[in-house]
Amino acid sequence: MAAGSLKNGVINGNVSEKKVTNSNLSAGFPFVKIILCKILLNSLLIMQRVFVFGKGESEGNKSMKALLGGKGANLAEMASIGLSVPPGLTISTEACEEYVLGGKKLPGSLWEEVLGAFKAVEKEMGAFLGDPKKPLLVSVRSGAAISMPGMMDTVLNLGLNDEVVVGLASRSGVRFAYDSYRRFLDMFGDVVMGIPHALFEAKLQRLKNAKGVQLDTDLTGLDLKELVEDYKNVYLESNGEKFPSDPNLQLKLAIQAVFDSWDSQRAVKYRNINQITGLKGTAVNIQCMVFGNMGNTSGTGVLFTRNPSTGEKKLYGEFLVNAQGEDVVAGIRTPQDLDAMRCSMPEAYKELVQNCEILEGHYRDMMDIEFTVQENKLWMLQCRAGKRTGACAVKIAVDMVKEGLLDKPAAIKMVEPQHLSQLLHPQFDNPSAYKNKVVATGLPASPGAAVGQIVFNADDAEQWFAEGKSVILVRAETSPEDVGGMHAAAGILTARGGMTSHAAVVARGWGKCCVSGCSDIRVDDTSKVATFLLVMMKEGEWISLNGSTGEVILGKQALSPPALSDDLETFMSWTDEIARLKVMANADTPEDAATARKNGAQGIGLCRTEHMFFTSEERIKSMRKMILAVTPEQRKAALNALLPFQRSDFEGIFRAMDGLPVTIRLLDPPLHEFLPEGQIDNMVRELAAETGLSEDEVLSKVEKLSEVNPMLGLRGCRLGISFPELTEMQALAIFEAALSVTKKGITVHPEIMVPLVGTPQELGHQANLIRGVAKKLFSEMGSSVEYKVGTMIEVPRAAFVADEIAKEAEFFSFGTNDLTQMAFGYSRDDVGKFLPIYLSQGILEADPFQVLDQKSVGELIKIATEKGRKANPNIELGICGEHGGDPTSVAFLTEVGLDYVSCSPFRVPIARLAAAQAAV
Ligand SMILES: *[C@@H]1O[C@H](CO)[C@@H](O)[C@H](O)[C@H]1NC(C)=O
Ligand SMILES: *[C@@H]1O[C@H](CO)[C@@H](O)[C@H](O)[C@H]1NC(C)=O
Ligand SMILES: *[C@@H]1O[C@H](CO)[C@@H](O)[C@H](O)[C@H]1NC(C)=O
């Protein structure tokens, strides 16, 4: 079979030659010999650094991205499945690594290897680099394993000089030849020699003015010949050196420029920002030129095999007749849609459609493709998996299973967590439209978009919300007292606090947009004004927040609602079929429980009872009376007032979770969190009025309560042991609620969780109280419910004695927030002061409150799992904490063999996806 014949100095194959089989190829095909030689060479000598690709035969394939870069690996793959790819070679990323380590010198025999491989390409083409009679031109492109803007892009038409251009002109016309030459001089100068493009542009403009023409295309061949002389002078004027006319030298310099660009400031910065590590370098792709600018029967285009925003199964792309790739990018001419190509080049179009089908079938994915048509012959220049929106990702995954292209596990791998989070939050209609209205940028604490009128305190937020207004709560920082207002607000903006500050954690829990730590604003909540760098805003003015970028935007930006679809439902049902880990939710209210259920939670893994005490004035007052009580009787009286509230909250939650388990944690936080904030005098006066105690009594009680280190003080089960009436009241409320809803036909599975246990005796003490309450109530009522008693494992000691604790516990729930706090000795509330420094200096790789630290917390979980299961094989194991919604943490926990993770209701779909992905 003849290799592509040469006409007009450039490739000219024809359509029917496309599907080349291997048996056709072996006969007399120069690649084969070269490949055999190389294999011999490799086994004897060195690593292979240069890989050829071409008609139906390639040394590389798509699985070799780490070595050949994404572009090189896919070119090799396309060629070997029989698509028309202009032949060429790829220099490996390892060669780049050698080059960089070796002080920016081409490694030993690399240049000889390149020339050797290039001979095979020249032979196939019947054309030769630098040969004026049979000129061969090439493109040189970079390509790392991960697509990476910032590196050297492209040099086209390499191989031209004053002699070669004459040969090209005699075959393809003077205008085409000199147009190619001047484009090459410009690109090579700009990209390889560091001569600013603007200097070439200035010469072009001067020539156009002199000739009195408007467009580049109005210049004649002779004009362009003159321009070539001007361009060559630019080299002299700018660098004091002549343009390197030797094509071999051009190629060598271009290869070095690609290698150098790996270390360029832009590329390094891009890798840092995107946390890209572990790559060896960039590959270099050297490929025969094909020309889309050879008249009406040529052109160039890009396409996605499906619509990348909606996922609709229809080619989606652009085409430009008589143009080269950079004309599309430069936006000089407006591209047409693909229908234009179907009309003007039906044959090439038909083949393109076929190729798209072949590639989708082969890669089993939606592809992003670049192609060129040269005189009606289609050439494939690049293919890669297409970037897509969340809606598109889900639709394609579901469609491809229906089309039989994918099985369910493969479909599940195809959708990324951020695709889902995009789908679950309202989006700005057009994020690029508001860029000039961004007045400040803070930390992207909780994703999503929020639009509202600004208010400066929680009460106003609640009140304005009740009046039907959308508000953004702006605070210096938030505290537990603000939760009502935070809940009412569409979004939250704070001047202080990090990604794990109160505002951030609470907002993420609710799936509410939050920008925290925005140091560009000053908040004055007395006069209710916020001062941004240049703008002052008063209460009631409109702002918008983008929680994924941390942008604070002036005015009311348009939103579109989350796009939930049948496809999403189908897709999520597959995740549950495949996941080994169950996903539960952290929910404190009946509304949260309902949201969790709607998002597919299989139960509640953590219901915190403390938030229930903040939801009304009456509750918080009774709580404070309880805290300040001097005698057990006073305390009991206050608790009795709280009991009905707790019971009705539990009833609501049980109802929402009919048939599913609900894990309720007994009171956990230090008591001072329930006392009013502010100056001590005011607080004492307020409390005295509320409780009927004298101010002196209150003062002495508050002083007794104050702790040096409350997070390590009187909290968790230490409260329930110090005040047994408290545990008894909570247990009674749970069991009464359970019995009462059971009577109404609802199935309940209460699981009572004792917090902050470090010794088996602590759990034993609390479990006895709980079981005692149950026994008494059940016998009084003549009916009972099944329930479990278990504990949080959140103190390192508990992990080490998990076998002893497991004898008392029916379940463990790893409280990874506290476990992280205690493993690192970091206060979660103060971590904002140093964590940003740690992360930027690489002292920590990730925020351990967001990504589970496998070496410490993970190890503790492993120890406790092993010991707990050994002592009690039926024990149920799960985690609750921010990590339950983090994909890498979920993968680790699947590995360890937990039964469930519990996360905020809004992260449930993402955790379900992560759990399924960890299982495939
Ligand atoms: C790709 O090539 C490498 C090296 O020759 C080989 O080990 C691997 O099996 C190939 N993979 C595929 C998918 O063909
Ligand atoms: C090419 O396009 C030009 C401009 O549209 C037109 O005038 C010319 O006839 C076309 N030539 C061919 C061969 O189709
Ligand atoms: C936030 O801005 C980014 C970048 O402009 C955009 O991709 C994203 O969709 C925006 N977020 C929302 C919720 O609209």
Side-chain angles (χ1 to χ4, degrees), residues 785-798:
V785 292
E786 295 278 322
Y787 66 95
K788 285 183 181 169
V789 179
T791 181
M792 303 269 286
I793 302 285
E794 52 191 335
V795 177
R797 186 178 199 280

Side-chain angles (χ1 to χ4, degrees), residues 289-473:
M289 282 298 300
V290 287
F291 294 94
N293 55 344
M294 294 190 85
N296 288 10
T297 57
S298 302
T300 187
V302 293
L303 68 83
F304 291 89
T305 54
R306 303 186 188 210
N307 184 313
S309 357
T310 64
E312 187 196 357
K313 191 174 179 202
K314 182 166 182 273
L315 298 190
Y316 179 94
E318 294 180 327
F319 183 73
L320 204 49
V321 77
N322 194 12
Q324 270 193 324
E326 78 269 19
D327 297 336
V328 182
V329 181
I332 301 164
R333 287 164 52 193
T334 313
Q336 300 163 285
D337 65 22
L338 291 169
D339 283 337
M341 179 184 174
R342 180 169 57 197
C343 301
S344 60
M345 309 172 188
E347 282 299 312
Y349 180 79
K350 206 170 124 206
E351 188 183 349
L352 180 65
V353 173
Q354 276 171 10
N355 284 359
C356 288
E357 250 169 66
I358 292 171
L359 285 172
E360 273 207 349
H362 186 74
Y363 283 85
R364 295 163 194 272
D365 200 350
M366 182 261 275
M367 303 304 288
D368 169 354
I369 288 166
E370 288 175 22
F371 63 92
T372 282
V373 179
Q374 178 183 312
E375 300 183 305
N376 282 322
K377 159 80 178 141
L378 176 72
W379 293 97
M380 306 297 283
L381 297 187
Q382 161 139 288
C383 81
R384 58 185 167 191
K387 289 236 184 321
R388 64 203 70 183
T389 64
C392 170
V394 169
K395 181 167 169 51
I396 287 178
V398 171
D399 284 353
M400 286 195 165
V401 171
K402 287 186 190 150
E403 290 161 26
L405 274 178
L406 293 179
D407 58 9
K408 288 179 191 173
I412 277 167
K413 279 200 225 156
M414 207 156 129
V415 175
E416 295 166 20
Q418 66 263 31
H419 288 142
L420 281 191
S421 54
Q422 252 183 48
L423 285 180
L424 300 166
H425 292 107
Q427 300 283 312
F428 286 113
D429 277 348
N430 182 5
S432 49
Y434 61 60
K435 290 296 171 205
N436 58 351
K437 302 213 174 98
V438 174
V439 282
T441 305
L443 298 173
S446 178
V451 179
Q453 296 172 271
I454 59 175
V455 293
F456 292 89
N457 65 57
D459 290 343
D460 288 347
E462 284 184 82
Q463 196 179 329
W464 289 45
F465 176 72
E467 289 162 13
K469 293 176 179 161
S470 174
V471 297
I472 303 240
L473 178 61

Side-chain angles (χ1 to χ4, degrees), residues 626-637:
M626 196 285 287
I627 292 169
L628 297 180
V630 181
T631 64
E633 288 69 40
Q634 286 176 336
R635 186 170 305 114
K636 265 216 171 107

